Amino acid sequence: MSQEGGGLAGPSATAPQPAQAGSPAEFTEALRALRTWSKLTYRQIEREATAHGDTLPASTIATTLGRATLPRERFVGAFTRACGLGEEDVRAWLEARHRIATHEPARDEDGGEDGTPASGESLPARVRRGRRVVGLLVALGVGAGAGVVGTLGADELSDASSPPAGASTMPVTGLRMLAVGSWARIHPARAPELCVTEGSDRTGRYETAVAAQRPCAKAELPRVFLEPLGQDIVQIQWHHPEFSIGCLTVLLDGPGENLLEPREDCADTDRAQQFRVDPLGPSAATHFRLRPVVTDQCLGLRDQGAEDGTEVVQGRCSGAADQDFLIELTPPP
């Protein structure tokens, strides 16, 4: 399968497997690992899904992978297929999803001893029929009466009946994020009524959108999602219904040097899109310092400005008040 961004990581046998996932959160975390393995961005997965006859918007992918509920079967089928798996592996993911949804125990190494059919044994007819129906829905689109492929929305693709699962780990010290990532708002600590959101370079030297502080009442969009990339390291994603997904990226040169721009080419390996989250003391439960991994400097506000529209920039870590941020975790949209 041809694709942008360097192709798949390797043959199907080396892809992450869902067999040991025992909860919705663990299953979703395995799906996120599969996306990392595929080396595809959200937009590339969207295009690959389209090539397979599915409709899977990038924003739906990111939203579904950011929830603690179990994705529906049609999402799992479309997503795993778009990530480059063959039909046999896609079936394995669907079977794992069904097992978790019905609260069956995980399959052991040999299979069959825990009540799950061993390799080579047939699944119950109900499961086979369900999977066949799912395959037809994915291929034809739900409600596609005239043959038009239906769009899979995030609410349709997560199982609302599945109970939320708490984080099995704490990917950011002092912040009760889910292991799969969490929606959030980032506030300047000295002005919590403001939010870090979309703004502009007030000098006029850089023309595209950049991160700035604005009143939270005016900052409903884009929505912020924090995706863990390692212990205390996150990617800060902006989700917008019109402009899809952008990842905050530190600009290292040019007219926008030291500003943060949301870029569509999100990549887990781009150090300019990785931010270290450091808690500011044990007593400050939600106060953090944000440091771009690529430079190890600190985020703050240009000229320590306090007014609406002040740009977020990177600079020397000084311990000044403008480098203190609050992170507020929010429910999924």
Side-chain angles (χ1 to χ4, degrees):
M1 180 183 66
S2 63
Q3 63 180 348
E4 301 173 18
L8 293 177
S12 170
T14 64
Q17 299 295 320
Q20 298 306 315
S23 68
E26 290 176 356
F27 186 81
T28 304
E29 190 167 3
L31 287 173
R32 288 182 62 245
L34 180 64
R35 185 188 76 84
T36 300
W37 171 86
S38 75
K39 298 183 180 179
L40 295 175
T41 67
Y42 293 113
R43 283 192 176 277
Q44 289 170 335
I45 294 175
E46 178 181 350
R47 288 195 289 270
E48 292 294 338
T50 300
H52 285 89
D54 303 320
T55 302
L56 200 59
S59 57
T60 296
I61 298 168
T63 299
T64 303
L65 296 185
R67 288 179 168 173
T69 51
L70 191 65
R72 292 195 186 277
E73 287 192 27
R74 50 188 166 157
F75 174 89
V76 175
F79 177 81
T80 53
R81 197 172 292 112
C83 283
L85 298 186
E87 288 305 312
E88 183 177 350
D89 287 329
V90 170
R91 284 195 297 272
W93 281 86
L94 291 173
E95 290 168 8
R97 189 261 171 212
H98 173 80
R99 168 176 53 77
I100 294 171
T102 56
H103 308 291
E104 295 176 6
R107 181 181 301 184
D108 61 17
E109 290 292 329
D110 299 324
E113 294 182 5
D114 58 357
T116 307
S119 177
E121 294 181 345
S122 61
L123 287 168
R126 178 173 57 85
V127 178
R128 293 199 305 273
R129 287 198 302 270
R131 192 165 59 219
R132 181 170 178 271
V133 170
V134 168
L136 291 173
L137 289 175
V138 170
L140 300 177
V142 177
V148 178
V149 178
T151 298
L152 304 183
D155 287 333
E156 296 174 309
L157 298 171
S158 63
D159 190 345
S161 64
S162 299
S168 57
T169 62
M170 185 174 286
V172 174
T173 303
L175 190 62
R176 299 191 63 81
M177 282 178 56
L178 294 175
V180 297
S182 293
W183 298 92
R185 278 185 166 185
I186 302 175
H187 308 267
R190 64 183 182 182
E193 73 280 3
L194 302 179
C195 285
V196 174
T197 187
E198 186 174 280
S200 60
D201 177 12
R202 294 175 299 168
T203 69
R205 292 193 297 267
Y206 200 69
E207 297 181 354
T208 64
V210 297
Q213 64 177 9
R214 303 292 312 279
C216 292
K218 300 179 182 179
E220 294 184 1
L221 295 174
R223 294 188 176 96
V224 177
F225 185 80
L226 303 180
E227 179 170 344
L229 300 180
Q231 184 61 45
D232 297 329
I233 296 176
V234 301
Q235 186 180 70
I236 304 175
Q237 300 172 359
W238 281 3
H239 292 237
H240 196 288
E242 181 179 354
F243 304 114
S244 192
I245 301 168
C247 291
L248 284 191
T249 306
V250 177
L251 302 179
L252 301 176
D253 51 35
E257 185 175 6
N258 295 324
L259 293 169
L260 277 69
E261 176 187 18
R263 291 190 169 176
E264 293 185 358
D265 54 341
C266 297
D268 294 349
T269 57
D270 187 344
R271 288 166 59 83
Q273 295 178 353
Q274 299 176 1
F275 296 88
R276 193 176 304 280
V277 184
D278 294 335
L280 290 176
S283 61
T286 58
H287 290 246
F288 297 90
R289 183 173 61 179
L290 303 174
R291 294 190 291 136
V293 169
V294 69
T295 62
D296 208 31
Q297 296 195 59
C298 286
L299 297 188
L301 296 163
R302 177 178 273 173
D303 300 325
Q304 300 188 29
E307 63 271 18
D308 178 1
T310 299
E311 304 90 333
V312 177
V313 296
Q314 71 160 355
R316 180 181 62 86
C317 296
S318 64
D322 68 300
Q323 295 182 352
D324 182 356
F325 291 92
L326 304 175
I327 298 180
E328 172 196 5
L329 300 183
T330 60

